[in-house]
Amino acid sequence: MVTKQFRGSPEEADLRRADSLAREIFSDIANKWAFLIIETLGERTLRFSELRDEVEGISHKMLTQNLRMLEHNGLVERRVHPTVPPRVEYTLTEPGRALRATVDGMCEWTHRYLGDIEAARRRFDI
C-alpha cells in the first residue's frame, strides 16, 4: 500500500481530486464498519473480542482490517500487554475522539430523519 504524503498544498487536501491524500483518508474511514468501531470505542478501551461482540454482524476479518486501517490513520491506538496469552486493547486517539463527534452527528441525523427516509423508501418501492 502506497500512502500519499501531505506536503501542505491545497491540492493534497482537496477531496475532489483523485490523487489527494484527503480523499484517500476519507475513503478509508467513510465506511459503516469504521464508523461503528469508532462509535463503539467512544471513550472506552476495549479488547478485540469485546469489540466484535458489540459491533453486531462484523466478521473477524472485517474487524481486523478496519482496526488496522484505523490504527494506520492514527485514529486508534493498539496496546499489547505482555501476558500469556497476549492481551490486546484498542482505544481512540485524540484524532479518533475528534472524528467521533462527526460520527455522533451522523447517528443523530439518522435518528432524526429515520421516519422521513422510511417514508421516502415506501414511496419509491410502490
Side-chain angles (χ1 to χ4, degrees), residues 62-122:
M62 287 307 299
L63 181 55
T64 299
Q65 287 176 349
N66 276 273
L67 284 169
R68 285 182 183 157
M69 175 273 300
L70 291 167
E71 184 181 12
H72 178 256
N73 283 305
L75 303 172
V76 167
E77 180 183 342
R78 178 179 183 264
R79 234 179 269 143
V80 180
H81 299 275
T83 59
V84 178
R87 189 179 81 211
V88 181
E89 296 177 330
Y90 298 89
T91 189
L92 292 179
T93 61
E94 178 58 34
R97 287 189 299 275
L99 179 58
R100 183 170 177 249
T102 299
V103 172
D104 286 346
M106 291 187 70
C107 291
E108 291 169 16
W109 175 88
T110 303
H111 287 112
R112 180 175 180 181
Y113 292 105
L114 188 59
D116 295 297
I117 294 167
E118 286 177 328
R121 287 181 172 191
R122 282 193 300 273

Side-chain angles (χ1 to χ4, degrees), residues 14-34:
D14 187 349
L15 284 174
R16 295 170 296 178
R17 290 180 51 116
D19 64 342
S20 77
L21 176 60
R23 184 183 285 192
E24 181 181 307
I25 295 165
F26 185 79
S27 177
D28 280 351
I29 62 172
N31 76 72
K32 69 179 178 182
W33 298 123

